[in-house]
Amino acid sequence: MNRRKQEIALSFGFFIAFFVAWHLFTKIFESVLIPTSIGTARAVVELIFETQTWRSFWLSNQSLAIGFVLSIAAGVVIGLIISRVAWMERVLDPWLDLLLVLPMAMMMPIIIMTLGFSLSARVVVVVLFAVPVVIVNTRAGIREVPSELIDMARVFGANEFDLWRQILIKSAAPSMWTGFRIGLARSITGMVLSELLLVAVGIGMLFQLFQGEFDPDKTFGLVALLIAESLLLLKAVHLLERRAIPWFHIDKFQNQ
Amino acid sequence: MYIRIENANKSFQKAATRKQPAARVDVLDQINIDIKENEFVTIVGPSGCGKTTLLRAVAGLTGLDSGEIMVAGELVTGPSPDRAMVFQTFALMPWASALRNVAFGLELRGVDKSEREEIARDLIVKVGLKGFENSLPSELSGGMKQRVGLARALAVNPKVLLMDEPFGGLDEQTKRLMQEELLRLWELERKTVVFVTHSLDEAILLADRCVLMSARPGRVSEILDIPFGRPRTRDVERDSTYIDIKQKIWEHLRASQIEEMTLQSEGNVH
């Protein structure tokens, strides 16, 4: 068996072991409130065939999609500006720190009072979660551009515009994509939190509904579906990244 | 004179350490060098003698505190495509193919794609990289990377070629091969070259004249004529004159280098 096959077998083994452990756990602590592995699997299949599930995901994903795209757009622009203009960075840096440590759950009442139980309120939560990491990673990318590349461009006649277009943004791209991936993960957290604590719609509402019905299998099945979607989205961003900056991944291919 | 460096001065503010208070360090102190057209000049000196700063000043990347640099009758106020540079760290764009890296200077000048790629292809062949046009820098060895760096500099057809320890990061064998390549390429056009190095052999083998610098303050201590004819090969290394020159340069640098080491180690004691 070659190494790759061994790895696949091992991953599969872990997966099986996880389900066995889960099954034993529910046997030992028998309780109606703990979801069983088989029950959850059954619930997942049931949920897939219910239109209610798809409607909920559609509704939830609206705030996720709008919020994530806005975060990328705003995060990149702000990140580029603060890495270019020193005084802007000094002014905005404390606010960036504040945004990173903001106890978001406690901000919910303020958002409700200002924006009401609306889509825009949910989008704001998603953006507040995602935008700081996009800004921070964009700035880090620009800061880490090798100075010799900047010298090189200047020597060969680059003006400020050329420098940004040809060197800075391209060189910062890998770090920016890292920001997009973490930003996506945080967007999903924001989406879920907004629906549990702010506006009970979509997946969040369904979750509360299943909990109210004391249906642990469906509750957990829903979580499993959300995790599946999140992993698919992360994979999609990763694939986009590979297409956008193939040069950054070439070493990894060679080393395998 | 093609390149005239006149009374060039530059100092840097050195931050305070636990041992020493903040101080101004004279990196360049009254530097005067005249370089003729088509002349190959090497600059050697201990680290910290300001040779790289001087080269960057000629490139227009660093300003002077006082004094001036004229190239082809024009005062240097900033970078210009007339003065192309080859960097020690290669400075290749990792996302661009060898071809695109070579054509980069022309791209910035607005030369259209088919024309600049034709010029770049031609140069890639000249520097011996045929077949690697579409390779990324990460797929090339150090020597190949610097061939790309050299081709990029030649592609803009500069009046002056500035080389900042271009082979300093290469292993000994590759370095020797690249030196011979440079001698061969230089014969094709005989461009004016200013070449900074810390290798004595390189300084003699390549040069028409060799500028010796000393450190703190960075000064020109001597300018030596290298009397070997052109085209030149490595055979000159066996010439007794070569050995005499090498000895002379070393005696000159030795004192400066020891002083520099002492200063550095004092600076590092806590």
Side-chain angles (χ1 to χ4, degrees):
Chain A
M1 244 197 316
N2 64 30
R3 185 140 178 208
R4 184 89 194 105
K5 275 183 185 162
Q6 280 177 351
E7 278 172 17
I8 291 172
L10 203 62
S11 312
F12 200 69
F14 265 122
F15 201 67
I16 300 286
F18 172 75
F19 273 94
V20 170
W22 183 4
H23 190 76
L24 290 176
F25 181 81
T26 48
K27 283 284 168 216
I28 295 162
F29 301 93
E30 212 163 340
S31 158
V32 284
L33 292 177
I34 297 175
T36 61
S37 53
I38 296 160
T40 304
R42 200 187 296 123
V44 165
V45 177
E46 269 175 47
L47 283 169
I48 286 173
F49 288 102
E50 276 173 27
T51 48
Q52 183 187 231
T53 315
W54 292 99
R55 226 181 11 247
S56 300
F57 270 84
W58 166 243
L59 217 61
S60 294
N61 275 287
Q62 288 171 0
S63 67
L64 178 65
I66 299 170
F68 179 55
V69 170
L70 276 180
S71 298
I72 287 182
V76 167
V77 170
I78 295 169
L80 292 180
I81 290 173
I82 62 173
S83 48
R84 174 80 191 84
V85 190
W87 67 265
M88 283 280 252
E89 168 154 39
R90 285 195 293 272
V91 171
L92 290 179
D93 208 38
W95 294 95
L96 204 58
D97 286 344
L98 184 136
L99 215 52
L100 278 167
V101 300
L102 201 63
M104 210 61 75
M106 295 173 174
M107 292 294 119
M108 296 299 170
I110 300 174
I111 296 168
I112 294 175
M113 278 187 273
T114 45
L115 292 167
F117 300 95
S118 59
L119 175 64
S120 49
R122 288 187 288 138
V123 169
V124 164
V125 174
V126 171
V127 170
L128 284 177
F129 263 92
V131 87
V133 291
V134 180
I135 296 174
V136 168
N137 279 283
T138 302
R139 178 178 62 180
I142 297 286
R143 274 185 183 167
E144 284 156 20
V145 176
S147 64
E148 77 254 18
L149 272 188
I150 297 171
D151 285 343
M152 184 279 292
R154 288 242 158 88
V155 161
F156 286 100
N159 57 33
E160 189 70 18
F161 176 72
D162 294 328
L163 193 64
W164 277 90
R165 195 170 61 96
Q166 299 269 26
I167 304 292
L168 297 180
I169 290 177
K170 282 183 181 166
S171 186
S175 178
M176 283 157 80
W177 276 98
T178 303
F180 298 166
R181 269 186 281 126
I182 306 172
L184 175 66
R186 286 183 56 112
S187 291
I188 296 166
T189 313
M191 173 190 83
V192 170
L193 214 63
S194 77
E195 289 169 6
L196 289 180
L197 300 174
L198 189 74
V199 192
V201 291
I203 302 167
M205 190 196 68
L206 213 54
F207 182 84
Q208 281 165 334
L209 190 77
F210 294 150
Q211 267 198 321
E213 290 170 352
F214 295 104
D215 191 339
D217 288 348
K218 272 200 168 174
T219 312
F220 219 59
L222 186 68
V223 174
L225 278 178
L226 180 61
I227 290 171
E229 191 211 337
S230 307
L231 292 178
L232 278 177
L233 288 175
L234 272 179
K235 188 77 195 165
V237 172
H238 208 85
L239 286 175
L240 282 176
E241 179 186 324
R242 291 212 157 213
R243 292 198 65 160
I245 46 170
W247 58 272
F248 188 68
H249 297 281
I250 199 154
D251 291 335
K252 294 177 192 165
F253 286 130
Q254 283 177 336
N255 289 340
Q256 269 171 10
Chain B
M1 279 303 140
Y2 202 63
I3 301 176
R4 163 160 276 165
I5 301 165
E6 221 175 319
N7 300 326
N9 286 293
K10 178 144 188 101
S11 57
F12 285 120
Q13 184 71 38
K14 195 174 164 235
T17 60
R18 256 192 267 175
K19 270 265 205 206
Q20 291 158 317
R24 288 204 78 78
V25 178
D26 292 321
V27 187
L28 301 176
D29 185 40
Q30 290 294 110
I31 304 280
N32 286 285
I33 304 173
D34 287 334
I35 296 169
K36 293 188 280 286
E37 190 165 8
N38 305 330
E39 193 176 22
F40 199 127
V41 170
T42 51
I43 303 176
V44 259
S47 48
C49 74
K51 52 193 193 295
T52 291
T53 308
L54 184 63
L55 197 75
R56 287 173 62 86
V58 178
L61 286 171
T62 305
L64 295 171
D65 294 343
S66 66
E68 58 182 42
I69 298 174
M70 305 279 287
V71 174
E74 279 176 45
L75 187 69
V76 171
T77 53
S80 147
D82 285 346
R83 285 165 270 130
M85 196 157 172
V86 180
F87 299 82
Q88 183 182 5
T89 50
F90 318 128
L92 301 182
M93 301 179 287
W95 53 86
S97 66
L99 185 70
R100 206 166 154 223
N101 267 295
V102 173
F104 186 61
L106 297 167
E107 187 182 345
L108 287 174
R109 277 200 215 173
V111 177
D112 66 62
K113 195 171 171 166
S114 59
E115 192 185 338
R116 68 177 188 246
E117 288 195 346
E118 198 187 311
I119 297 170
R121 268 177 218 287
D122 193 43
L123 276 162
I124 282 178
V125 174
K126 272 193 187 146
V127 299
L129 278 182
K130 192 172 166 51
F132 292 94
E133 289 85 351
N134 296 318
S135 302
L136 290 172
S138 58
E139 299 166 309
L140 301 174
S141 68
M144 290 160 101
K145 282 181 192 160
Q146 198 54 296
R147 283 166 200 260
V148 174
L150 191 58
R152 173 177 61 194
L154 293 172
V156 294
N157 194 21
K159 290 180 177 153
V160 176
L161 202 54
L162 304 172
M163 307 185 80
D164 183 14
E165 301 190 26
F167 310 141
L170 304 176
D171 62 76
E172 186 61 26
Q173 294 92 311
T174 311
K175 182 191 287 190
R176 289 170 79 90
L177 207 63
M178 290 298 288
Q179 289 162 354
E180 287 161 21
E181 282 282 294
L182 184 62
L183 279 176
R184 179 181 67 80
L185 283 166
W186 186 78
E187 285 302 331
L188 300 178
E189 295 190 52
R190 297 211 173 191
K191 287 202 182 295
T192 313
V193 179
V194 185
F195 188 111
V196 165
T197 180
H198 55 239
S199 150
L200 304 189
D201 285 311
E202 202 164 77
I204 305 167
L205 175 68
L206 300 173
D208 296 316
R209 280 192 302 154
C210 175
V211 177
L212 299 184
M213 286 183 76
S214 58
R216 296 179 204 240
R219 284 195 180 128
V220 174
S221 43
E222 197 168 349
I223 300 181
L224 297 172
D225 280 313
I226 311 294
F228 306 113
R230 305 274 187 180
R232 199 182 285 175
T233 64
R234 200 172 281 285
D235 292 342
V236 297
E237 284 181 354
R238 282 179 298 186
D239 200 300
S240 64
T241 321
Y242 181 97
I243 295 159
D244 290 345
I245 295 171
K246 192 171 172 182
Q247 187 61 31
K248 195 170 175 185
I249 296 177
W250 176 234
E251 275 163 17
H252 231 103
L253 292 182
R254 196 167 189 272
S256 201
Q257 189 77 38
I258 288 171
E259 193 184 341
E260 185 63 21
M261 275 164 59
T262 322
L263 272 170
Q264 274 176 3
S265 58
E266 272 171 14
N268 289 336
V269 173
H270 292 297

